[in-house]
Amino acid sequence: MRGAKNLHKQPILLCDFLTFLMKKYLAIIFAVLVLISQLSCDAPRLNPLDPSSPDYKLTSIEGTIKTTALPQQPIAGVKVFWKDKNLTVQTDQNGYYKLDELVMNDGILIFEKDGYSKDSVRIVWAGQKNKREDVSLNAIPQINKFNLFTIVQNRYADVQDSRLNGQVSISDPDNTIDTVYLKCDELAFSKKLSFSPVLNMFEGSFTPADLNVTSLDIVIGKKFELVTIDNTHKAFLTGSTNVMRIIKQEVIIREPLNKISVNTKPVLKWYRFLPGFNFKYKVEIYTDELVPQPIWDKENISKEDVETTPDFDLSPGEYYWVVWAVDDFQNRCRSKPASFVVK
């Protein structure tokens, strides 16, 4: 009877033992899970593919590109080039750009768009995972008008004075133009142009000696470039042109001349000029004194005409007049002066 009682208790003890083991293992598993959870929250992340890891090597650059001119406006379509990875993106309509998944190597970021000065910045990561580079681009000055022409003036004793004249009108949205130069590398020539408030243009007049030549004929066909420099000393190659012609033929005055007496509206006559190219005449009258004063002029006279008359009465006094021939490129030659007296 006692043996049967012990046999009846053995299955109960085995069951209790198994229950005890299960509870113990569950406690161990729970403790491990808690430990893993704590480690995952607080321990340094060592996975190089995890963006939060200090060993994560992929980075990004973003920023906005605007005009230098105030008020600043975003510039769309700017090419942003990351030289280290040969990667290019473009700014959106808000001027925003972003380059993702870059390896953390220092390098050059280049900004480029037609009509604007190319710019660049050096990116030094210094452990930073993200960089922001906001940039303003300077608009390249635009040429409105660029005239480069020769002037030949005939004087008595058959002397010809020749010069090269430059006139240029430039618009600059940034209003930062400081200096404008005319240069010709082939002639080792570079001269500053002066601003004329009257003409609202930059201009300059240069002798053969200024141009490092013995004769103005040498400049024909040479390439002359216009360089503008802004107030930050940045230089822009704004445009180029060349000299087309030098008019050495002379327009000959017919009458009046040699201080002949005339009425208050003299008829000014000259011999027909036949240079072999298209041109127009220009006539000027000056006072004949130590410092001549311009009195009257007329431009765009047809090449078929050989005379003209002032459109008002001249006051009594001594005068001289000249005739210019001006071609389609503004190259020009001037006659010898001829004098007359109004009684």
Side-chain angles (χ1 to χ4, degrees):
M1 210 45 198
R2 179 177 298 177
K5 187 176 181 180
N6 289 338
L7 289 173
H8 178 72
K9 288 184 177 181
Q10 284 178 358
I12 296 174
L13 293 173
L14 180 60
C15 181
D16 292 342
F17 178 72
L18 291 175
T19 301
F20 170 76
L21 287 177
M22 287 181 65
K23 288 181 179 181
K24 187 171 183 179
Y25 281 123
L26 286 173
I28 293 171
I29 291 171
F30 179 76
V32 170
L33 289 174
V34 170
L35 179 62
I36 291 173
S37 175
Q38 290 177 345
L39 289 173
S40 65
C41 294
D42 302 328
R45 297 178 181 236
L46 302 178
N47 183 358
L49 298 179
D50 186 341
S52 300
S53 169
D55 294 328
Y56 187 70
K57 298 301 182 183
L58 297 181
T59 57
S60 66
I61 308 173
E62 64 179 333
T64 302
I65 302 177
K66 295 183 178 181
T67 61
T68 299
L70 300 175
Q72 288 186 305
Q73 300 295 326
I75 308 175
V78 178
K79 292 180 181 178
V80 183
F81 177 61
W82 178 239
K83 195 171 181 181
D84 180 70
K85 197 177 178 183
N86 198 27
L87 179 64
T88 301
V89 298
Q90 286 195 2
T91 55
D92 63 16
Q93 62 182 2
N94 298 313
Y96 176 78
Y97 71 92
K98 187 172 184 179
L99 294 139
D100 284 314
E101 298 184 357
L102 305 178
V103 177
M104 195 182 289
N105 294 329
D106 296 348
I108 303 296
L109 193 60
I110 300 171
F111 308 92
E112 189 172 10
K113 180 174 179 167
D114 290 344
Y116 292 86
S117 174
K118 185 176 180 180
D119 205 352
S120 63
V121 293
R122 178 166 176 79
I123 301 297
V124 179
W125 295 104
Q128 293 178 273
K129 294 195 177 107
N130 301 99
K131 280 280 190 178
R132 184 171 184 92
E133 287 293 339
D134 295 325
V135 176
S136 61
L137 293 185
N138 198 340
I140 296 175
Q142 301 296 314
I143 294 177
N144 301 323
K145 187 177 182 180
F146 185 12
N147 292 330
L148 189 65
F149 56 92
T150 57
I151 296 178
V152 176
Q153 297 185 29
N154 290 282
R155 305 185 186 279
Y156 284 102
D158 293 326
V159 173
Q160 285 189 329
D161 293 335
S162 58
R163 303 181 71 87
L164 178 68
N165 271 37
Q167 292 180 334
V168 58
S169 171
I170 303 176
S171 60
D172 177 22
D174 298 330
N175 195 30
T176 58
I177 294 177
D178 180 74
T179 311
V180 177
Y181 281 91
L182 182 67
K183 74 184 187 80
C184 176
D185 292 338
E186 193 172 349
L187 300 176
F189 164 80
S190 179
K191 293 290 184 181
K192 179 181 176 181
L193 300 181
S194 301
F195 182 72
S196 169
V198 176
L199 299 176
N200 195 30
M201 299 177 77
F202 292 89
E203 61 179 355
S205 184
F206 310 104
T207 66
D210 294 329
L211 295 161
N212 304 315
V213 296
T214 55
S215 170
L216 211 57
D217 297 271
I218 298 173
V219 307
I220 295 177
K222 296 289 190 292
K223 182 180 180 181
F224 284 82
E225 295 177 320
L226 198 68
V227 178
T228 56
I229 299 175
D230 68 12
N231 53 19
T232 65
H233 307 293
K234 185 177 291 185
F236 305 92
L237 180 57
T238 313
S240 64
T241 189
N242 51 33
V243 179
M244 301 299 294
R245 178 183 291 126
I246 299 173
I247 307 175
K248 289 190 171 183
Q249 304 96 315
E250 180 183 353
V251 181
I252 306 298
I253 286 179
R254 185 173 179 181
E255 61 179 0
L257 69 168
N258 297 328
K259 293 190 180 292
I260 190 173
S261 294
V262 298
N263 61 31
T264 57
K265 281 190 176 181
V267 179
L268 309 174
K269 299 180 180 181
W270 57 89
Y271 291 98
R272 190 175 303 280
F273 187 56
L274 300 170
F277 51 80
N278 193 47
F279 72 96
K280 291 183 179 179
Y281 292 111
K282 178 181 179 181
V283 174
E284 298 173 333
I285 298 177
Y286 294 85
T287 59
D288 193 0
E289 53 189 340
L290 186 61
V291 182
Q293 300 298 315
I295 298 298
W296 176 82
D297 70 80
K298 185 177 181 180
E299 296 182 308
N300 298 318
I301 302 171
S302 170
K303 64 180 180 181
E304 304 302 326
D305 294 340
V306 290
E307 64 179 54
T308 190
T309 303
D311 52 11
F312 64 88
D313 291 322
L314 298 178
S315 301
E318 296 185 358
Y319 299 89
Y320 75 86
W321 67 291
V322 293
V323 184
W324 292 87
V326 184
D327 74 4
D328 295 337
F329 305 101
Q330 299 303 308
N331 300 300
R332 59 196 67 195
C333 71
R334 195 199 71 177
S335 68
K336 293 184 179 75
S339 60
F340 61 87
V341 178
V342 175
K343 295 295 186 180

Short mmCIF file of all heavy atoms in Angstrom, two decimals, residues 53-99:
data_model
loop_
_atom_site.label_atom_id
_atom_site.label_comp_id
_atom_site.label_asym_id
_atom_site.label_seq_id
_atom_site.Cartn_x
_atom_site.Cartn_y
_atom_site.Cartn_z
N SER A 53 25.45 55.50 -37.43
CA SER A 53 26.73 54.97 -37.00
C SER A 53 27.85 55.97 -37.27
O SER A 53 27.87 56.63 -38.32
CB SER A 53 27.04 53.66 -37.74
OG SER A 53 28.38 53.27 -37.53
N PRO A 54 28.80 56.10 -36.35
CA PRO A 54 29.94 56.99 -36.61
C PRO A 54 30.80 56.50 -37.77
O PRO A 54 31.58 57.25 -38.33
CB PRO A 54 30.71 56.96 -35.28
CG PRO A 54 30.29 55.69 -34.61
CD PRO A 54 28.86 55.46 -35.02
N ASP A 55 30.65 55.23 -38.13
CA ASP A 55 31.42 54.68 -39.26
C ASP A 55 30.67 54.80 -40.58
O ASP A 55 31.16 54.34 -41.61
CB ASP A 55 31.76 53.21 -39.00
CG ASP A 55 32.71 53.05 -37.82
OD1 ASP A 55 33.54 53.95 -37.63
OD2 ASP A 55 32.60 52.04 -37.10
N TYR A 56 29.47 55.42 -40.54
CA TYR A 56 28.69 55.57 -41.77
C TYR A 56 29.38 56.59 -42.68
O TYR A 56 29.65 57.71 -42.28
CB TYR A 56 27.29 56.05 -41.42
CG TYR A 56 26.34 56.09 -42.60
CD1 TYR A 56 25.88 54.93 -43.20
CD2 TYR A 56 25.91 57.32 -43.10
CE1 TYR A 56 24.99 54.97 -44.27
CE2 TYR A 56 25.02 57.36 -44.17
CZ TYR A 56 24.58 56.18 -44.74
OH TYR A 56 23.71 56.24 -45.80
N LYS A 57 29.71 56.21 -43.91
CA LYS A 57 30.54 57.04 -44.78
C LYS A 57 29.78 57.73 -45.91
O LYS A 57 30.37 58.44 -46.71
CB LYS A 57 31.66 56.17 -45.41
CG LYS A 57 32.61 55.56 -44.39
CD LYS A 57 33.31 56.63 -43.56
CE LYS A 57 34.30 56.02 -42.58
NZ LYS A 57 34.92 57.05 -41.72
N LEU A 58 28.47 57.54 -46.04
CA LEU A 58 27.70 58.19 -47.09
C LEU A 58 27.10 59.48 -46.55
O LEU A 58 26.54 59.52 -45.47
CB LEU A 58 26.61 57.26 -47.61
CG LEU A 58 27.11 55.96 -48.26
CD1 LEU A 58 25.95 55.13 -48.76
CD2 LEU A 58 28.09 56.26 -49.39
N THR A 59 27.23 60.57 -47.34
CA THR A 59 26.83 61.89 -46.88
C THR A 59 26.00 62.58 -47.97
O THR A 59 25.77 62.03 -49.04
CB THR A 59 28.06 62.75 -46.57
OG1 THR A 59 28.87 62.81 -47.75
CG2 THR A 59 28.87 62.16 -45.45
N SER A 60 25.59 63.82 -47.71
CA SER A 60 24.82 64.59 -48.70
C SER A 60 25.19 66.07 -48.62
O SER A 60 25.67 66.56 -47.60
CB SER A 60 23.32 64.42 -48.46
OG SER A 60 22.94 65.00 -47.23
N ILE A 61 24.97 66.75 -49.75
CA ILE A 61 25.15 68.20 -49.83
C ILE A 61 23.87 68.77 -50.42
O ILE A 61 23.33 68.26 -51.40
CB ILE A 61 26.33 68.59 -50.75
CG1 ILE A 61 27.60 67.84 -50.38
CG2 ILE A 61 26.57 70.10 -50.69
CD1 ILE A 61 28.75 68.07 -51.37
N GLU A 62 23.39 69.86 -49.82
CA GLU A 62 22.21 70.53 -50.35
C GLU A 62 22.38 72.03 -50.20
O GLU A 62 23.27 72.51 -49.47
CB GLU A 62 20.95 70.07 -49.61
CG GLU A 62 20.95 70.43 -48.13
CD GLU A 62 19.67 69.97 -47.44
OE1 GLU A 62 18.64 69.85 -48.13
OE2 GLU A 62 19.71 69.74 -46.22
N GLY A 63 21.55 72.78 -50.91
CA GLY A 63 21.63 74.23 -50.80
C GLY A 63 20.71 74.92 -51.81
O GLY A 63 19.97 74.27 -52.55
N THR A 64 20.78 76.24 -51.81
CA THR A 64 19.97 77.06 -52.72
C THR A 64 20.89 78.02 -53.46
O THR A 64 21.81 78.58 -52.86
CB THR A 64 18.91 77.84 -51.93
OG1 THR A 64 18.08 76.92 -51.22
CG2 THR A 64 18.04 78.66 -52.87
N ILE A 65 20.62 78.22 -54.74
CA ILE A 65 21.42 79.13 -55.57
C ILE A 65 20.54 80.30 -55.99
O ILE A 65 19.44 80.11 -56.54
CB ILE A 65 21.98 78.41 -56.80
CG1 ILE A 65 22.84 77.22 -56.35
CG2 ILE A 65 22.82 79.37 -57.64
CD1 ILE A 65 23.40 76.40 -57.48
N LYS A 66 21.03 81.52 -55.73
CA LYS A 66 20.27 82.73 -56.03
C LYS A 66 21.15 83.72 -56.80
O LYS A 66 22.36 83.55 -56.92
CB LYS A 66 19.77 83.39 -54.74
CG LYS A 66 18.77 82.55 -53.97
CD LYS A 66 18.25 83.29 -52.75
CE LYS A 66 17.22 82.47 -52.00
NZ LYS A 66 16.69 83.19 -50.82
N THR A 67 20.51 84.75 -57.31
CA THR A 67 21.23 85.82 -58.02
C THR A 67 22.00 86.68 -57.03
O THR A 67 21.60 86.80 -55.86
CB THR A 67 20.26 86.70 -58.81
OG1 THR A 67 19.33 87.32 -57.89
CG2 THR A 67 19.48 85.89 -59.84
N THR A 68 23.07 87.30 -57.51
CA THR A 68 23.79 88.27 -56.69
C THR A 68 23.01 89.57 -56.61
O THR A 68 23.00 90.25 -55.58
CB THR A 68 25.19 88.53 -57.28
OG1 THR A 68 25.92 87.29 -57.29
CG2 THR A 68 25.96 89.56 -56.47
N ALA A 69 22.33 89.92 -57.72
CA ALA A 69 21.57 91.16 -57.77
C ALA A 69 20.43 91.14 -56.75
O ALA A 69 19.79 90.11 -56.54
CB ALA A 69 21.00 91.37 -59.18
N LEU A 70 20.22 92.29 -56.12
CA LEU A 70 19.13 92.44 -55.15
C LEU A 70 17.88 92.98 -55.82
O LEU A 70 17.98 93.81 -56.72
CB LEU A 70 19.58 93.37 -54.02
CG LEU A 70 20.80 92.90 -53.22
CD1 LEU A 70 21.20 93.97 -52.20
CD2 LEU A 70 20.51 91.58 -52.52
N PRO A 71 16.69 92.53 -55.41
CA PRO A 71 16.47 91.45 -54.44
C PRO A 71 16.83 90.10 -55.05
O PRO A 71 16.54 89.85 -56.21
CB PRO A 71 14.96 91.54 -54.16
CG PRO A 71 14.39 92.12 -55.43
CD PRO A 71 15.42 93.07 -55.94
N GLN A 72 17.48 89.27 -54.25
CA GLN A 72 17.96 87.99 -54.76
C GLN A 72 16.80 87.10 -55.19
O GLN A 72 15.80 87.00 -54.49
CB GLN A 72 18.81 87.28 -53.70
CG GLN A 72 20.17 87.92 -53.48
CD GLN A 72 21.02 87.10 -52.55
OE1 GLN A 72 20.63 86.79 -51.43
NE2 GLN A 72 22.21 86.74 -53.02
N GLN A 73 16.99 86.45 -56.35
CA GLN A 73 15.98 85.55 -56.90
C GLN A 73 16.59 84.17 -57.09
O GLN A 73 17.77 84.06 -57.45
CB GLN A 73 15.47 86.08 -58.24
CG GLN A 73 14.82 87.45 -58.17
CD GLN A 73 13.54 87.45 -57.36
OE1 GLN A 73 12.80 86.47 -57.37
NE2 GLN A 73 13.29 88.54 -56.64
N PRO A 74 15.80 83.10 -56.87
CA PRO A 74 16.34 81.75 -57.11
C PRO A 74 16.63 81.54 -58.59
O PRO A 74 15.93 82.08 -59.46
CB PRO A 74 15.20 80.84 -56.62
CG PRO A 74 13.97 81.67 -56.68
CD PRO A 74 14.41 83.08 -56.38
N ILE A 75 17.66 80.76 -58.88
CA ILE A 75 18.04 80.47 -60.26
C ILE A 75 17.77 78.99 -60.53
O ILE A 75 18.38 78.11 -59.91
CB ILE A 75 19.53 80.78 -60.51
CG1 ILE A 75 19.88 82.19 -60.07
CG2 ILE A 75 19.86 80.60 -61.99
CD1 ILE A 75 21.36 82.52 -60.17
N ALA A 76 16.87 78.73 -61.46
CA ALA A 76 16.57 77.35 -61.85
C ALA A 76 17.51 76.89 -62.95
O ALA A 76 18.04 77.70 -63.72
CB ALA A 76 15.12 77.25 -62.33
N GLY A 77 17.73 75.58 -63.01
CA GLY A 77 18.52 75.02 -64.10
C GLY A 77 20.02 75.18 -63.97
O GLY A 77 20.74 75.03 -64.95
N VAL A 78 20.50 75.49 -62.78
CA VAL A 78 21.95 75.56 -62.56
C VAL A 78 22.51 74.15 -62.46
O VAL A 78 21.99 73.32 -61.70
CB VAL A 78 22.30 76.36 -61.28
CG1 VAL A 78 23.81 76.39 -61.06
CG2 VAL A 78 21.74 77.77 -61.37
N LYS A 79 23.56 73.86 -63.21
CA LYS A 79 24.22 72.55 -63.11
C LYS A 79 25.14 72.55 -61.90
O LYS A 79 26.02 73.40 -61.78
CB LYS A 79 25.01 72.26 -64.37
CG LYS A 79 24.17 72.05 -65.61
CD LYS A 79 25.04 71.76 -66.82
CE LYS A 79 24.19 71.58 -68.07
NZ LYS A 79 25.02 71.34 -69.27
N VAL A 80 24.91 71.59 -61.00
CA VAL A 80 25.74 71.45 -59.80
C VAL A 80 26.53 70.15 -59.96
O VAL A 80 25.95 69.06 -60.02
CB VAL A 80 24.87 71.41 -58.52
CG1 VAL A 80 25.76 71.33 -57.29
CG2 VAL A 80 23.96 72.64 -58.46
N PHE A 81 27.83 70.28 -60.03
CA PHE A 81 28.70 69.15 -60.38
C PHE A 81 29.62 68.80 -59.22
O PHE A 81 30.38 69.65 -58.74
CB PHE A 81 29.53 69.52 -61.62
CG PHE A 81 30.53 68.47 -62.03
CD1 PHE A 81 30.13 67.20 -62.40
CD2 PHE A 81 31.88 68.77 -62.06
CE1 PHE A 81 31.05 66.23 -62.79
CE2 PHE A 81 32.82 67.82 -62.44
CZ PHE A 81 32.40 66.55 -62.80
N TRP A 82 29.49 67.55 -58.72
CA TRP A 82 30.37 67.05 -57.65
C TRP A 82 31.51 66.30 -58.33
O TRP A 82 31.35 65.20 -58.84
CB TRP A 82 29.60 66.15 -56.70
CG TRP A 82 30.41 65.54 -55.60
CD1 TRP A 82 30.58 64.22 -55.34
CD2 TRP A 82 31.16 66.23 -54.60
NE1 TRP A 82 31.38 64.03 -54.24
CE2 TRP A 82 31.76 65.25 -53.75
CE3 TRP A 82 31.40 67.58 -54.33
CZ2 TRP A 82 32.57 65.58 -52.68
CZ3 TRP A 82 32.21 67.91 -53.24
CH2 TRP A 82 32.78 66.92 -52.44
N LYS A 83 32.67 66.94 -58.35
CA LYS A 83 33.80 66.46 -59.14
C LYS A 83 34.32 65.11 -58.65
O LYS A 83 34.76 64.28 -59.45
CB LYS A 83 34.92 67.51 -59.11
CG LYS A 83 35.99 67.33 -60.16
CD LYS A 83 36.92 68.53 -60.18
CE LYS A 83 37.98 68.37 -61.24
NZ LYS A 83 38.92 69.53 -61.27
N ASP A 84 34.26 64.86 -57.35
CA ASP A 84 34.82 63.63 -56.79
C ASP A 84 34.13 62.38 -57.33
O ASP A 84 34.75 61.35 -57.55
CB ASP A 84 34.71 63.66 -55.26
CG ASP A 84 35.27 62.40 -54.62
OD1 ASP A 84 36.49 62.23 -54.65
OD2 ASP A 84 34.46 61.59 -54.10
N LYS A 85 32.81 62.49 -57.58
CA LYS A 85 32.03 61.34 -58.03
C LYS A 85 31.54 61.50 -59.47
O LYS A 85 30.82 60.64 -59.98
CB LYS A 85 30.83 61.14 -57.09
CG LYS A 85 30.19 59.77 -57.20
CD LYS A 85 29.05 59.63 -56.18
CE LYS A 85 28.37 58.28 -56.32
NZ LYS A 85 27.23 58.14 -55.40
N ASN A 86 31.92 62.63 -60.11
CA ASN A 86 31.46 62.91 -61.48
C ASN A 86 29.94 62.88 -61.54
O ASN A 86 29.33 62.31 -62.46
CB ASN A 86 32.06 61.91 -62.47
CG ASN A 86 31.99 62.42 -63.89
OD1 ASN A 86 31.97 63.62 -64.15
ND2 ASN A 86 31.92 61.50 -64.84
N LEU A 87 29.31 63.52 -60.54
CA LEU A 87 27.86 63.50 -60.39
C LEU A 87 27.30 64.91 -60.62
O LEU A 87 27.84 65.88 -60.10
CB LEU A 87 27.49 63.01 -58.99
CG LEU A 87 26.01 62.95 -58.64
CD1 LEU A 87 25.30 61.93 -59.52
CD2 LEU A 87 25.83 62.61 -57.16
N THR A 88 26.23 65.00 -61.41
CA THR A 88 25.62 66.29 -61.73
C THR A 88 24.13 66.27 -61.44
O THR A 88 23.43 65.33 -61.78
CB THR A 88 25.84 66.65 -63.21
OG1 THR A 88 27.23 66.70 -63.50
CG2 THR A 88 25.23 68.02 -63.53
N VAL A 89 23.65 67.34 -60.79
CA VAL A 89 22.21 67.56 -60.62
C VAL A 89 21.92 69.00 -61.05
O VAL A 89 22.84 69.79 -61.27
CB VAL A 89 21.76 67.34 -59.16
CG1 VAL A 89 22.00 65.92 -58.72
CG2 VAL A 89 22.47 68.32 -58.20
N GLN A 90 20.64 69.33 -61.19
CA GLN A 90 20.24 70.69 -61.54
C GLN A 90 19.31 71.25 -60.48
O GLN A 90 18.54 70.51 -59.84
CB GLN A 90 19.54 70.72 -62.90
CG GLN A 90 20.48 70.54 -64.07
CD GLN A 90 19.83 70.94 -65.40
OE1 GLN A 90 18.70 71.37 -65.44
NE2 GLN A 90 20.57 70.77 -66.47
N THR A 91 19.38 72.57 -60.29
CA THR A 91 18.50 73.22 -59.33
C THR A 91 17.07 73.25 -59.87
O THR A 91 16.83 73.32 -61.08
CB THR A 91 18.95 74.66 -59.05
OG1 THR A 91 19.04 75.39 -60.28
CG2 THR A 91 20.30 74.69 -58.37
N ASP A 92 16.10 73.19 -58.95
CA ASP A 92 14.70 73.25 -59.35
C ASP A 92 14.26 74.71 -59.46
O ASP A 92 15.09 75.63 -59.41
CB ASP A 92 13.82 72.46 -58.37
CG ASP A 92 13.85 73.04 -56.95
OD1 ASP A 92 14.29 74.19 -56.76
OD2 ASP A 92 13.44 72.32 -56.02
N GLN A 93 12.96 74.94 -59.63
CA GLN A 93 12.46 76.30 -59.83
C GLN A 93 12.69 77.19 -58.61
O GLN A 93 12.63 78.42 -58.71
CB GLN A 93 10.96 76.25 -60.15
CG GLN A 93 10.10 75.66 -59.05
CD GLN A 93 8.64 75.59 -59.44
OE1 GLN A 93 8.27 75.95 -60.56
NE2 GLN A 93 7.80 75.14 -58.51
N ASN A 94 12.96 76.58 -57.47
CA ASN A 94 13.25 77.35 -56.25
C ASN A 94 14.76 77.52 -56.02
O ASN A 94 15.17 78.01 -54.97
CB ASN A 94 12.62 76.67 -55.04
CG ASN A 94 11.11 76.60 -55.14
OD1 ASN A 94 10.46 77.59 -55.46
ND2 ASN A 94 10.55 75.43 -54.86
N GLY A 95 15.55 77.07 -56.99
CA GLY A 95 17.00 77.17 -56.87
C GLY A 95 17.60 76.13 -55.95
O GLY A 95 18.78 76.23 -55.59
N TYR A 96 16.82 75.11 -55.58
CA TYR A 96 17.28 74.11 -54.61
C TYR A 96 17.94 72.92 -55.31
O TYR A 96 17.51 72.51 -56.39
CB TYR A 96 16.11 73.61 -53.77
CG TYR A 96 16.44 72.50 -52.80
CD1 TYR A 96 17.09 72.76 -51.61
CD2 TYR A 96 16.12 71.18 -53.11
CE1 TYR A 96 17.40 71.75 -50.71
CE2 TYR A 96 16.43 70.15 -52.23
CZ TYR A 96 17.07 70.45 -51.03
OH TYR A 96 17.39 69.43 -50.17
N TYR A 97 18.98 72.39 -54.69
CA TYR A 97 19.65 71.20 -55.20
C TYR A 97 20.01 70.30 -54.02
O TYR A 97 20.14 70.75 -52.88
CB TYR A 97 20.92 71.55 -55.98
CG TYR A 97 22.05 72.04 -55.10
CD1 TYR A 97 23.01 71.16 -54.58
CD2 TYR A 97 22.16 73.39 -54.75
CE1 TYR A 97 24.03 71.60 -53.76
CE2 TYR A 97 23.17 73.84 -53.92
CZ TYR A 97 24.10 72.94 -53.43
OH TYR A 97 25.10 73.37 -52.60
N LYS A 98 20.20 69.00 -54.31
CA LYS A 98 20.67 68.06 -53.29
C LYS A 98 21.42 66.92 -53.96
O LYS A 98 20.97 66.37 -54.97
CB LYS A 98 19.52 67.50 -52.46
CG LYS A 98 20.00 66.65 -51.28
CD LYS A 98 18.86 66.26 -50.35
CE LYS A 98 19.38 65.50 -49.14
NZ LYS A 98 18.31 65.13 -48.20
N LEU A 99 22.57 66.58 -53.40
CA LEU A 99 23.36 65.43 -53.84
C LEU A 99 23.40 64.43 -52.70
O LEU A 99 23.86 64.76 -51.60
CB LEU A 99 24.78 65.88 -54.21
CG LEU A 99 24.89 66.81 -55.42
CD1 LEU A 99 25.90 67.90 -55.16
CD2 LEU A 99 25.27 66.03 -56.66
#
